[in-house]
Amino acid sequence: MHDLHFMRDALDGADFVLELLREKVPTVVTLVHFYDINAKEFVVVKARAPNANVVNVRTPEGSGLVGAALSTGRAIHVKDAATDTRWMRDRYAQAGHAHPKQIVLIPMRFHGRYLGALELADHTDGEAFGDAELHALQYVGDQFAEFVNDRGVQIQRGADSTGSFQVIDSVRPPPRR
């Protein structure tokens, strides 16, 4: 995570975090949300998913898993997504992974201020998320929140100030068991 601080801006930082998570906690879906303070929404600015349609998807403040995690400031681990009603089914359909089994939502807050969230679903090997991974993901989220707070982010409707919202390198979902 030390190398994060050499990134140019919040979007470069998001690319760095996506790559780090691809190496350390490979999942079918990894989303980076930033908070749009003007619209009071979370917007997916970067993603690693089977489908690019998830970028620019917005979630109103206070709704879904993103809202639940940000309100408490703690990670949420959904162990059985089929029985949890808080996750956004449309977002996962747009990401090309309509039926996740497990979802982890890591809030990004700095001194109580909403900055964004990291959202991951389903290990590529089909295994469950472990406690050590959840702690590591929270650490990544905390460090990234500090970085985003220092660098700032400016979101314009439909794109960011650099126009570089994108999906990075999609992965295939694990076979259904």
Side-chain angles (χ1 to χ4, degrees):
M1 286 303 297
H2 173 72
D3 291 343
L4 173 66
H5 298 282
F6 295 103
M7 300 297 113
R8 182 183 59 197
D9 58 28
L11 289 169
D12 279 349
D15 288 335
F16 175 84
V17 167
L18 278 176
E19 184 59 24
L20 177 70
L21 293 176
R22 184 191 64 75
E23 291 175 19
K24 304 297 182 189
V25 187
T27 56
V28 176
V29 173
T30 306
L31 308 175
V32 177
H33 303 259
F34 283 158
Y35 182 61
D36 182 344
I37 193 167
N38 295 322
K40 298 200 181 314
E41 296 173 319
F42 293 90
V43 58
V44 176
V45 296
K46 298 281 184 169
R48 185 178 305 282
N51 192 333
N53 292 335
V54 71
V55 175
N56 285 326
V57 170
R58 291 174 173 263
T59 304
E61 178 184 310
S63 66
L65 281 176
V66 175
L70 266 294
S71 68
T72 66
R74 284 180 259 155
I76 294 177
H77 179 199
V78 175
K79 295 178 182 178
D80 183 6
T83 63
D84 195 300
T85 60
R86 298 172 296 175
W87 61 279
M88 302 294 188
R89 279 139 179 87
D90 290 349
R91 182 168 53 233
Y92 276 86
Q94 289 172 298
H97 189 57
H99 302 287
K101 291 182 171 126
Q102 289 196 6
I103 301 170
V104 174
L105 205 304
I106 306 296
M108 292 170 33
R109 293 189 336 176
F110 192 77
H111 296 296
R113 187 173 144 231
Y114 293 171
L115 296 171
L118 302 175
E119 185 170 0
L120 300 91
D122 295 334
H123 271 288
T124 55
D125 63 7
E127 294 296 316
F129 290 97
D131 288 340
E133 286 176 314
L134 296 174
H135 291 295
L137 290 169
Q138 186 65 61
Y139 175 77
V140 170
D142 291 345
Q143 293 298 305
F144 190 37
E146 184 177 335
F147 175 82
V148 170
N149 183 68
D150 290 345
R151 295 296 196 285
V153 64
Q154 186 173 34
I155 296 177
Q156 298 172 352
R157 196 70 159 155
D160 69 306
S161 58
T162 65
S164 64
F165 288 1
Q166 61 187 338
V167 165
I168 298 174
D169 191 38
S170 64
V171 296
R172 296 205 177 280
R176 290 187 147 269
R177 293 182 191 189

